[in-house]
Amino acid sequence: MTEHRAYKTIQKLERSAGFFPVILAMYRIGVDLGGTNIAVGLVNDDYVITARISVPTNALQAAEGVVAGIGDAIERVLEKSGLTGPDCAGIGVGAPGTCDTERGIVFRSYSLSWNNVPLAAMLEERFHLPVRINNDANCAALAEVKAGAAKGCKNVVLVTLGTGIGSGIVINGTIYSGYLGSGTEMGHMLLDYNGEQCSCGRKGCWDAYASSTALVVQAKRAAFSRPESRLNSLPQITGQSVFEAAEQGDVTAIAIINKYCEYLALGISNIINVLAPEMILIGGGVSSQGERILEPVRKYARENCFDKREEAMPIIKIASMGNEAGIIGAAVL
Ligand SMILES: [Zn+2]
């Protein structure tokens, strides 16, 4: 959707809702709601965050308390910028979980312990602005398409490698969430139905092989069976330290990283076989390794793709917007 059409859509929504004023606003409020922190930013028409604030989520309190915290943070950002609600076109929230985007409800979030929270309605009541919500990884994917590494692309998949694997899909320039927002959980596609235990309760999900948590598990296991490995002398095995040990020539660490890249590429080849996007972006902690993971992943992914033509392969690169993607993507919802 072009920016002009997006704005027209906002106007149309405002008119159909009846009570939202039609406004010529140049700012949007983006909220990146996480299990640990709430980051709120004011985003201008050039997708630049002009003011931001981050406050603790305090996820143990009831949903009403968390939503009040989001509202307070929004007010502080507006105050910081000398603006008020009517200066903004709307509020977007990226939430960590399954979102019913049509009704603005967070259906389920494990990190917030939320079930059926009508987040959009709660914020609309306080700010009298249109509120849109979506899954946080979807928001990050949208931000990369609007202003980041995938700018100008229409069909893009973002995969974030962190504690788990997050993923967002943009098709024809808009977020694809699936029926009732329950799609795009790519981390839970199966690689091996009798495989590693996944945090979702099943066995063999991609998440259990290619998240940074999985990398650490694989490294600890390998270090235990190879007493001579440098990994055993580390105070703590982290994703970063496994890459460093491999860099220093540790044979065990090199084998772990190679295997990890194969697992990563296997999931990516599945994505390519189903969606054939123009571009696949890798984000999250492990993505700081850049070409160290991209080079083997491109090679293994192509070997596992149904269409092996070089020109049919999507561009696979690192996402560029980091922590800002959540706020900007939410703001442009
Ligand atoms: Zn799973």
Side-chain angles (χ1 to χ4, degrees):
M1 193 187 286
T2 64
E3 196 47 26
H4 179 68
R5 272 180 56 207
Y7 179 64
K8 286 282 173 205
T9 308
I10 291 168
Q11 282 187 317
K12 222 190 295 171
L13 278 170
E14 288 166 348
R15 275 191 225 103
S16 63
F19 50 88
F20 294 125
V22 176
I23 39 181
L24 272 165
M26 44 187 301
Y27 291 99
R28 293 173 180 83
I29 296 159
V31 180
D32 185 3
L33 171 58
T36 313
N37 287 304
I38 299 164
V40 176
L42 198 65
V43 179
N44 70 14
D45 283 341
D46 298 320
Y47 309 113
V48 173
I49 299 173
T50 58
R52 66 175 290 165
I53 196 174
S54 180
V55 296
T57 309
N58 299 323
L60 290 175
Q61 63 184 326
E64 288 76 11
V66 174
V67 179
I70 295 172
D72 294 347
I74 290 172
E75 271 173 10
R76 280 171 63 192
V77 162
L78 288 170
E79 210 174 296
K80 219 171 155 182
S81 319
L83 298 172
T84 58
D87 296 315
C88 300
I91 299 169
V93 186
T98 307
C99 298
D100 181 337
T101 55
E102 294 292 313
R103 294 187 298 159
I105 294 170
V106 179
F107 171 64
R108 180 155 295 148
S109 169
Y110 290 105
S111 54
L112 297 171
S113 305
W114 281 13
N115 284 308
N116 287 311
V117 174
L119 177 59
M122 290 162 89
L123 288 172
E124 276 170 3
E125 198 182 329
R126 176 158 171 183
F127 290 96
H128 306 288
L129 286 171
V131 178
R132 306 295 295 268
I133 70 166
N134 212 305
N135 169 269
D136 50 3
N138 283 338
C139 290
L142 184 62
E144 293 288 349
V145 167
K146 291 285 181 188
K151 196 173 173 184
C153 294
K154 284 197 152 135
N155 301 303
V156 174
V157 174
L158 168 71
V159 174
T160 57
L161 309 170
T163 313
I165 294 183
S167 56
I169 303 176
V170 172
I171 294 178
N172 286 329
T174 55
I175 291 173
Y176 177 80
S177 312
Y179 182 56
L180 296 180
S182 56
T184 74
E185 289 295 343
M186 295 197 170
H188 301 283
M189 67 174 133
L190 280 196
L191 298 194
D192 177 359
Y193 76 97
N194 255 333
E196 297 280 344
Q197 184 65 48
C198 181
S199 58
C200 74
R202 293 200 312 173
K203 283 185 172 175
C205 298
W206 190 31
D207 198 293
Y209 291 88
S211 62
S212 62
T213 309
L215 170 61
V216 171
V217 169
Q218 291 153 25
K220 283 182 176 166
R221 206 181 279 159
F224 186 73
S225 62
R226 303 232 193 270
E228 75 284 5
S229 169
R230 196 188 291 260
L231 293 171
N232 288 299
S233 61
L234 297 172
Q236 198 192 357
I237 295 178
T238 62
Q240 175 74 23
S241 65
V242 184
F243 278 98
E244 280 166 9
E247 205 67 36
Q248 289 158 8
D250 185 77
V251 180
T252 307
I254 291 171
I256 292 295
I257 297 295
N258 284 342
K259 196 71 197 165
Y260 174 80
C261 288
E262 270 188 57
Y263 289 139
L264 184 53
L266 207 49
I268 286 176
S269 63
N270 287 344
I271 295 171
I272 297 170
N273 287 341
V274 175
L275 291 171
E278 294 164 77
M279 189 180 284
I280 295 179
L281 294 173
I282 316 257
V286 179
S287 71
S288 64
Q289 299 302 325
E291 284 299 318
R292 178 69 188 82
I293 56 166
L294 288 180
E295 212 186 302
V297 162
R298 287 185 191 118
K299 176 177 162 281
Y300 294 135
R302 191 171 164 199
E303 284 169 11
N304 284 290
C305 275
F306 184 78
D307 186 344
K308 291 185 168 44
R309 288 175 301 167
E310 199 176 343
E311 64 269 31
M313 280 293 290
I315 294 164
I316 303 174
K317 63 181 190 180
I318 302 297
S320 68
M321 299 188 74
N323 293 335
E324 294 201 332
I327 292 177
I328 294 174
V332 296
L333 283 174

mmCIF file of all heavy atoms in Angstrom, residues 26-30 41-52 146-147 321 324 327-329 331-332:
data_model
loop_
_atom_site.group_PDB
_atom_site.id
_atom_site.type_symbol
_atom_site.label_atom_id
_atom_site.label_comp_id
_atom_site.label_asym_id
_atom_site.label_seq_id
_atom_site.Cartn_x
_atom_site.Cartn_y
_atom_site.Cartn_z
ATOM 1 N N MET A 26 0.726 14.611 10.926
ATOM 2 C CA MET A 26 1.978 14.154 10.337
ATOM 3 C C MET A 26 2.711 13.198 11.269
ATOM 4 O O MET A 26 3.750 12.694 10.934
ATOM 5 C CB MET A 26 2.850 15.341 9.966
ATOM 6 C CG MET A 26 2.904 16.409 11.016
ATOM 7 S SD MET A 26 3.775 17.890 10.488
ATOM 8 C CE MET A 26 5.380 17.242 10.082
ATOM 9 N N TYR A 27 2.155 12.955 12.433
ATOM 10 C CA TYR A 27 2.811 12.046 13.365
ATOM 11 C C TYR A 27 1.939 10.843 13.662
ATOM 12 O O TYR A 27 0.716 10.924 13.638
ATOM 13 C CB TYR A 27 3.106 12.760 14.691
ATOM 14 C CG TYR A 27 4.162 13.804 14.583
ATOM 15 C CD1 TYR A 27 3.819 15.147 14.453
ATOM 16 C CD2 TYR A 27 5.514 13.456 14.605
ATOM 17 C CE1 TYR A 27 4.788 16.116 14.339
ATOM 18 C CE2 TYR A 27 6.494 14.425 14.490
ATOM 19 C CZ TYR A 27 6.123 15.745 14.360
ATOM 20 O OH TYR A 27 7.096 16.707 14.240
ATOM 21 N N ARG A 28 2.611 9.738 13.942
ATOM 22 C CA ARG A 28 1.901 8.548 14.414
ATOM 23 C C ARG A 28 2.628 8.063 15.659
ATOM 24 O O ARG A 28 3.847 8.200 15.770
ATOM 25 C CB ARG A 28 1.938 7.448 13.355
ATOM 26 C CG ARG A 28 1.147 7.781 12.110
ATOM 27 C CD ARG A 28 1.396 6.714 11.049
ATOM 28 N NE ARG A 28 0.643 6.994 9.838
ATOM 29 C CZ ARG A 28 1.038 7.825 8.887
ATOM 30 N NH1 ARG A 28 2.186 8.487 9.018
ATOM 31 N NH2 ARG A 28 0.302 8.025 7.824
ATOM 32 N N ILE A 29 1.876 7.453 16.554
ATOM 33 C CA ILE A 29 2.490 6.929 17.769
ATOM 34 C C ILE A 29 2.691 5.422 17.602
ATOM 35 O O ILE A 29 1.758 4.698 17.247
ATOM 36 C CB ILE A 29 1.591 7.222 18.988
ATOM 37 C CG1 ILE A 29 1.471 8.733 19.211
ATOM 38 C CG2 ILE A 29 2.147 6.547 20.246
ATOM 39 C CD1 ILE A 29 0.266 9.148 20.023
ATOM 40 N N GLY A 30 3.918 4.968 17.820
ATOM 41 C CA GLY A 30 4.214 3.541 17.727
ATOM 42 C C GLY A 30 4.589 2.989 19.092
ATOM 43 O O GLY A 30 5.373 3.601 19.825
ATOM 44 N N GLY A 41 7.265 5.553 20.735
ATOM 45 C CA GLY A 41 7.936 6.568 19.924
ATOM 46 C C GLY A 41 6.947 7.352 19.092
ATOM 47 O O GLY A 41 5.882 6.856 18.731
ATOM 48 N N LEU A 42 7.332 8.595 18.826
ATOM 49 C CA LEU A 42 6.558 9.429 17.926
ATOM 50 C C LEU A 42 7.254 9.347 16.571
ATOM 51 O O LEU A 42 8.455 9.604 16.472
ATOM 52 C CB LEU A 42 6.577 10.866 18.459
ATOM 53 C CG LEU A 42 5.516 11.804 17.928
ATOM 54 C CD1 LEU A 42 4.135 11.337 18.370
ATOM 55 C CD2 LEU A 42 5.782 13.216 18.423
ATOM 56 N N VAL A 43 6.506 8.947 15.541
ATOM 57 C CA VAL A 43 7.125 8.686 14.234
ATOM 58 C C VAL A 43 6.575 9.675 13.216
ATOM 59 O O VAL A 43 5.353 9.850 13.119
ATOM 60 C CB VAL A 43 6.830 7.229 13.808
ATOM 61 C CG1 VAL A 43 7.432 6.934 12.435
ATOM 62 C CG2 VAL A 43 7.365 6.248 14.851
ATOM 63 N N ASN A 44 7.470 10.309 12.466
ATOM 64 C CA ASN A 44 6.997 11.284 11.476
ATOM 65 C C ASN A 44 6.784 10.629 10.115
ATOM 66 O O ASN A 44 6.961 9.415 9.959
ATOM 67 C CB ASN A 44 7.939 12.502 11.402
ATOM 68 C CG ASN A 44 9.289 12.150 10.782
ATOM 69 O OD1 ASN A 44 9.459 11.099 10.173
ATOM 70 N ND2 ASN A 44 10.253 13.047 10.956
ATOM 71 N N ASP A 45 6.406 11.414 9.128
ATOM 72 C CA ASP A 45 6.088 10.876 7.807
ATOM 73 C C ASP A 45 7.286 10.240 7.104
ATOM 74 O O ASP A 45 7.134 9.495 6.147
ATOM 75 C CB ASP A 45 5.525 11.993 6.915
ATOM 76 C CG ASP A 45 4.074 12.294 7.279
ATOM 77 O OD1 ASP A 45 3.450 11.443 7.920
ATOM 78 O OD2 ASP A 45 3.585 13.381 6.913
ATOM 79 N N ASP A 46 8.492 10.577 7.567
ATOM 80 C CA ASP A 46 9.697 9.980 6.972
ATOM 81 C C ASP A 46 10.154 8.736 7.743
ATOM 82 O O ASP A 46 11.291 8.303 7.589
ATOM 83 C CB ASP A 46 10.839 11.017 6.949
ATOM 84 C CG ASP A 46 10.480 12.220 6.088
ATOM 85 O OD1 ASP A 46 9.875 11.996 5.026
ATOM 86 O OD2 ASP A 46 10.786 13.355 6.484
ATOM 87 N N TYR A 47 9.271 8.217 8.578
ATOM 88 C CA TYR A 47 9.566 7.013 9.385
ATOM 89 C C TYR A 47 10.748 7.232 10.333
ATOM 90 O O TYR A 47 11.543 6.337 10.577
ATOM 91 C CB TYR A 47 9.838 5.793 8.490
ATOM 92 C CG TYR A 47 8.764 5.575 7.463
ATOM 93 C CD1 TYR A 47 9.036 5.750 6.116
ATOM 94 C CD2 TYR A 47 7.483 5.214 7.852
ATOM 95 C CE1 TYR A 47 8.042 5.581 5.164
ATOM 96 C CE2 TYR A 47 6.477 5.039 6.908
ATOM 97 C CZ TYR A 47 6.766 5.222 5.570
ATOM 98 O OH TYR A 47 5.785 5.055 4.640
ATOM 99 N N VAL A 48 10.862 8.447 10.814
ATOM 100 C CA VAL A 48 11.911 8.759 11.785
ATOM 101 C C VAL A 48 11.253 8.917 13.151
ATOM 102 O O VAL A 48 10.202 9.550 13.274
ATOM 103 C CB VAL A 48 12.657 10.063 11.393
ATOM 104 C CG1 VAL A 48 13.640 10.480 12.487
ATOM 105 C CG2 VAL A 48 13.370 9.878 10.057
ATOM 106 N N ILE A 49 11.889 8.325 14.181
ATOM 107 C CA ILE A 49 11.381 8.481 15.540
ATOM 108 C C ILE A 49 11.882 9.816 16.075
ATOM 109 O O ILE A 49 13.088 10.020 16.225
ATOM 110 C CB ILE A 49 11.860 7.325 16.447
ATOM 111 C CG1 ILE A 49 11.350 5.978 15.908
ATOM 112 C CG2 ILE A 49 11.399 7.534 17.884
ATOM 113 C CD1 ILE A 49 11.900 4.766 16.637
ATOM 114 N N THR A 50 10.949 10.743 16.331
ATOM 115 C CA THR A 50 11.375 12.086 16.757
ATOM 116 C C THR A 50 11.422 12.209 18.280
ATOM 117 O O THR A 50 12.018 13.140 18.810
ATOM 118 C CB THR A 50 10.427 13.166 16.195
ATOM 119 O OG1 THR A 50 9.103 12.869 16.645
ATOM 120 C CG2 THR A 50 10.451 13.176 14.676
ATOM 121 N N ALA A 51 10.758 11.312 18.981
ATOM 122 C CA ALA A 51 10.849 11.284 20.453
ATOM 123 C C ALA A 51 10.536 9.868 20.899
ATOM 124 O O ALA A 51 9.709 9.197 20.280
ATOM 125 C CB ALA A 51 9.848 12.263 21.062
ATOM 126 N N ARG A 52 11.217 9.423 21.919
ATOM 127 C CA ARG A 52 10.908 8.067 22.389
ATOM 128 C C ARG A 52 11.113 7.955 23.889
ATOM 129 O O ARG A 52 11.810 8.755 24.518
ATOM 130 C CB ARG A 52 11.728 7.011 21.639
ATOM 131 C CG ARG A 52 13.224 7.075 21.885
ATOM 132 C CD ARG A 52 13.893 5.907 21.194
ATOM 133 N NE ARG A 52 13.562 4.647 21.855
ATOM 134 C CZ ARG A 52 13.769 3.449 21.323
ATOM 135 N NH1 ARG A 52 14.273 3.336 20.113
ATOM 136 N NH2 ARG A 52 13.480 2.380 21.998
ATOM 137 N N LYS A 146 9.089 -0.621 4.850
ATOM 138 C CA LYS A 146 8.825 0.815 4.675
ATOM 139 C C LYS A 146 10.110 1.630 4.651
ATOM 140 O O LYS A 146 10.238 2.561 3.871
ATOM 141 C CB LYS A 146 7.940 1.331 5.823
ATOM 142 C CG LYS A 146 6.527 0.800 5.796
ATOM 143 C CD LYS A 146 5.709 1.477 4.726
ATOM 144 C CE LYS A 146 4.282 0.953 4.716
ATOM 145 N NZ LYS A 146 3.539 1.459 3.570
ATOM 146 N N ALA A 147 11.033 1.282 5.547
ATOM 147 C CA ALA A 147 12.169 2.191 5.700
ATOM 148 C C ALA A 147 13.505 1.505 5.972
ATOM 149 O O ALA A 147 14.499 2.169 6.197
ATOM 150 C CB ALA A 147 11.867 3.161 6.852
ATOM 151 N N MET A 321 17.009 -2.361 10.925
ATOM 152 C CA MET A 321 16.423 -1.348 11.815
ATOM 153 C C MET A 321 16.533 -1.642 13.304
ATOM 154 O O MET A 321 16.192 -0.793 14.129
ATOM 155 C CB MET A 321 14.967 -1.123 11.441
ATOM 156 C CG MET A 321 14.860 -0.612 10.022
ATOM 157 S SD MET A 321 13.207 -0.123 9.588
ATOM 158 C CE MET A 321 13.045 1.401 10.481
ATOM 159 N N GLU A 324 14.518 -0.206 16.609
ATOM 160 C CA GLU A 324 13.564 0.825 16.173
ATOM 161 C C GLU A 324 12.431 0.225 15.338
ATOM 162 O O GLU A 324 11.370 0.839 15.193
ATOM 163 C CB GLU A 324 14.290 1.888 15.355
ATOM 164 C CG GLU A 324 15.293 2.676 16.179
ATOM 165 C CD GLU A 324 15.614 4.002 15.541
ATOM 166 O OE1 GLU A 324 15.522 4.111 14.313
ATOM 167 O OE2 GLU A 324 15.945 4.937 16.289
ATOM 168 N N ILE A 327 8.837 -0.057 16.956
ATOM 169 C CA ILE A 327 8.094 1.206 17.109
ATOM 170 C C ILE A 327 7.615 1.710 15.756
ATOM 171 O O ILE A 327 6.443 2.065 15.576
ATOM 172 C CB ILE A 327 8.990 2.289 17.776
ATOM 173 C CG1 ILE A 327 9.277 1.915 19.227
ATOM 174 C CG2 ILE A 327 8.339 3.662 17.677
ATOM 175 C CD1 ILE A 327 10.209 2.881 19.945
ATOM 176 N N ILE A 328 8.526 1.729 14.773
ATOM 177 C CA ILE A 328 8.173 2.297 13.463
ATOM 178 C C ILE A 328 7.110 1.440 12.773
ATOM 179 O O ILE A 328 6.134 1.960 12.236
ATOM 180 C CB ILE A 328 9.447 2.466 12.581
ATOM 181 C CG1 ILE A 328 10.363 3.516 13.227
ATOM 182 C CG2 ILE A 328 9.069 2.876 11.155
ATOM 183 C CD1 ILE A 328 11.703 3.675 12.564
ATOM 184 N N GLY A 329 7.280 0.117 12.858
ATOM 185 C CA GLY A 329 6.298 -0.772 12.231
ATOM 186 C C GLY A 329 4.931 -0.616 12.863
ATOM 187 O O GLY A 329 3.905 -0.586 12.174
ATOM 188 N N ALA A 331 3.823 2.063 14.352
ATOM 189 C CA ALA A 331 3.302 3.391 14.013
ATOM 190 C C ALA A 331 2.655 3.418 12.636
ATOM 191 O O ALA A 331 1.695 4.151 12.423
ATOM 192 C CB ALA A 331 4.423 4.424 14.080
ATOM 193 N N VAL A 332 3.153 2.615 11.696
ATOM 194 C CA VAL A 332 2.603 2.672 10.338
ATOM 195 C C VAL A 332 1.486 1.653 10.113
ATOM 196 O O VAL A 332 1.014 1.501 8.991
ATOM 197 C CB VAL A 332 3.701 2.528 9.247
ATOM 198 C CG1 VAL A 332 4.660 3.687 9.320
ATOM 199 C CG2 VAL A 332 4.435 1.208 9.337
#
